[in-house]
Amino acid sequence: MAMLCSFGRILLVRPAAAIPLRFYCASSPSNSKLFVGGLSWTVDEKSLHDAFSSFGEVTEVRIMYDKGSGRSRGFGFVYFATAYEAKCAKEAMDGKAFLGRPLRISFALEKVRGAPVVVPRLLNSEESQN
């Protein structure tokens, strides 16, 4: 039996006779760039860097701003030195309140200029059993 874990990889379930029922992730994401949504308009790069630096070496922080008003668009990106640090930060901070708003964190998709972006489809539990 196989299922999808939170970052789109296939989970393998070991038979109950061999060991207790546990889920194993086939591989970890190789992406060290996190998308951070739900940011307060008062967040700046320094405060975002400080919030994530306890999970590892933050190499870059980018907050997206509106060109017209100069105000934050409510999302940004946090880059880590390793994919493991990014995974730890995602698991710890996703859904947590930061400056009064809950964060929505996911692994960022790489932007490919001139080509369509293909987003992996997550299967529901009925489809994964077939």
Side-chain angles (χ1 to χ4, degrees):
M1 184 168 114
M3 301 173 82
L4 291 177
C5 67
S6 62
F7 41 85
R9 302 286 189 222
I10 294 185
L11 293 172
L12 303 174
V13 180
R14 302 275 181 165
I19 57 173
L21 186 64
R22 296 174 77 178
F23 294 95
Y24 293 90
C25 198
S27 64
S28 62
S30 60
N31 195 351
S32 60
K33 178 180 174 184
L34 294 178
F35 168 83
V36 182
L39 293 176
S40 168
W41 289 330
T42 61
V43 172
D44 61 359
E45 281 85 0
K46 182 179 179 346
S47 62
L48 194 58
H49 181 280
D50 293 344
F52 282 86
S53 63
S54 63
F55 302 102
E57 181 186 349
V58 176
T59 59
E60 185 178 354
V61 173
R62 287 189 183 176
I63 296 176
M64 300 297 115
Y65 294 95
D66 182 68
K67 290 180 183 176
S69 68
R71 190 169 66 170
S72 167
R73 294 176 61 194
F75 71 94
F77 299 92
V78 178
Y79 299 75
F80 282 89
T82 67
Y84 177 75
E85 293 168 343
K87 179 178 178 277
C88 292
K90 178 191 178 307
E91 290 174 356
M93 295 290 285
D94 192 24
K96 300 291 189 272
F98 180 63
L99 296 178
R101 298 192 59 188
L103 297 178
R104 295 180 322 273
I105 301 175
S106 62
F107 288 99
L109 298 173
E110 291 302 317
K111 185 175 181 179
V112 180
R113 296 197 182 266
V117 175
V118 178
V119 179
R121 182 173 158 241
L122 296 177
L123 302 176
N124 64 30
S125 60
E126 293 172 2
E127 291 176 344
S128 65
Q129 292 175 357
N130 294 335

